Amino acid sequence: MAIMSEAFDPAYGEAWNAAQLSSFVTLPGVTLTIAQINGAWLGFSLVRMIADEAELLLLAVGRQWRGRGVGKALLNDCLAMTRLSGIETLHLEVRENNPAVHFYRSIGFEQVHFRPRYYRGRDGTSYDALSFRLKL
């Protein structure tokens, strides 16, 4: 939860709480991957696989580890895992002004949809959600 708190700015209200996260990781087809060095947790990814599709639900990296390739390593692990599982398409959704949008586009994700005013910040401001997919 410490990484979740660091990775998701509280102004946007996107972080999951402990109950949501713990109940979700027990579902079939869900994989939690943790990046760590010498016992220190750097980040994690949460992926759900159903049939021949998968969704990257969360990708979080602690502040001090950003820009060091941790997110890319987690995403590469996700891509390898999904390909080995026979997944053909990986989906994700992200807030329109999230800096990660540039990262996902650089990997080859294409925007396929948007949801107007999907996210609501703590101050009541609404943000569009961008839906992306990557054909594997």
Side-chain angles (χ1 to χ4, degrees):
M1 289 311 299
I3 293 173
M4 180 80 74
S5 299
E6 277 188 31
F8 296 97
D9 187 331
Y12 300 107
E14 298 165 317
W16 293 18
N17 63 41
Q20 290 170 315
L21 187 57
S22 29
S23 67
F24 209 87
V25 297
T26 63
L27 296 174
V30 174
T31 301
L32 173 67
T33 302
I34 298 167
Q36 60 178 320
I37 295 176
N38 297 328
W41 289 30
L42 316 179
F44 69 89
S45 65
L46 186 67
V47 178
R48 174 176 50 186
M49 294 181 278
I50 300 172
D52 64 348
E53 295 188 328
E55 181 179 10
L56 177 60
L57 299 165
L58 293 169
L59 180 66
V61 176
R63 281 191 191 106
Q64 69 182 18
W65 298 103
R66 291 183 187 165
R68 297 184 181 191
V70 175
K72 189 168 187 174
L74 284 164
L75 183 57
N76 285 338
D77 179 77
C78 169
L79 295 174
M81 174 185 55
T82 53
R83 285 183 177 121
L84 285 173
S85 299
I87 299 299
E88 296 177 8
T89 307
L90 178 62
H91 301 272
L92 65 86
E93 194 165 79
V94 65
R95 177 179 28 85
E96 64 180 332
N97 63 337
N98 187 322
V101 168
H102 304 291
F103 169 66
Y104 294 126
R105 285 189 171 134
S106 75
I107 300 296
F109 280 87
E110 63 176 328
Q111 184 181 337
V112 293
H113 187 64
F114 78 99
R115 297 173 195 260
R117 299 173 307 281
Y118 183 77
Y119 293 105
R120 182 168 307 280
R122 286 196 174 169
D123 66 357
T125 303
S126 295
Y127 302 93
D128 295 342
L130 305 179
S131 299
F132 287 88
R133 79 169 167 216
L134 180 65
K135 293 287 190 177
L136 303 173

